[in-house]
């Protein structure tokens, strides 16, 4: 339900800088049920599709897949998260500066 609120085609973020960070690895626990393991490829495809849809809400949106990362990207790859935040802030400031220069 929550994803339907976020990925709503009626929403338009225009040219707002937007970076979605997506994990690339899912390592299920050893006791993960066999039936659930069979669903992993479909779930990962849906996860990536959803992140692509979120990124597409902005003309400048990007779904950046983070190699070697699991669900907790901020813990495993903090520099990637920091860099993405700094890039979005920089682009937003540049965009704001361009509005005032007109």
């Amino acid at each position: 339900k929550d994803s339907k609120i976020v990925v709503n085609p009626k929403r338009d973020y225009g040219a707002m800088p937007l970076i979605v960070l997506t994990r690339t690895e899912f390592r299920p626990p050893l006791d993960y049920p066999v039936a659930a393991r069979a669903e992993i490829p479909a779930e990962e495809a849906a996860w990536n599709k959803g992140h692509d849809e979120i990124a597409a809400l902005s003309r400048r949106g990007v779904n950046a897949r983070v190699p070697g990362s699991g669900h907790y990207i901020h813990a495993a790859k903090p520099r990637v998260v920091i860099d993405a935040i700094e890039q979005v802030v920089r682009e937003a400031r540049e965009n704001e500066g361009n509005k005032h220069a007109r």
Side-chain angles (χ1 to χ4, degrees):
K1 177 181 174 184
D2 292 339
S3 65
K4 299 287 186 210
I5 294 168
V6 174
V7 183
N8 178 344
K10 294 177 184 172
R11 295 179 86 174
D12 179 5
Y13 294 165
M16 178 181 79
L18 175 64
I19 300 174
V20 179
L21 299 176
T22 301
R23 72 174 186 225
T24 59
E25 297 182 16
F26 173 66
R27 293 187 183 129
L30 294 175
D31 62 348
Y32 209 63
V34 173
R37 286 179 187 273
E39 297 295 322
I40 292 172
E43 290 173 358
E44 289 297 297
W47 186 268
N48 281 298
K49 181 178 181 272
H51 282 200
D52 288 340
E53 290 172 351
I54 292 169
L57 292 171
S58 169
R59 290 186 299 279
R60 295 170 64 187
V62 176
N63 179 9
R65 285 158 177 88
V66 183
S69 65
H71 185 73
Y72 299 103
I73 297 170
H74 63 284
K77 305 271 184 162
R79 176 46 53 192
V80 171
V81 176
I82 293 165
D83 290 346
I85 292 167
E86 288 176 345
Q87 181 179 342
V88 166
V89 169
R90 185 174 48 256
E91 290 179 16
R93 286 180 176 157
E94 288 169 3
N95 190 42
E96 192 61 29
N98 291 336
K99 284 182 184 177
H100 294 296
R102 290 181 194 164

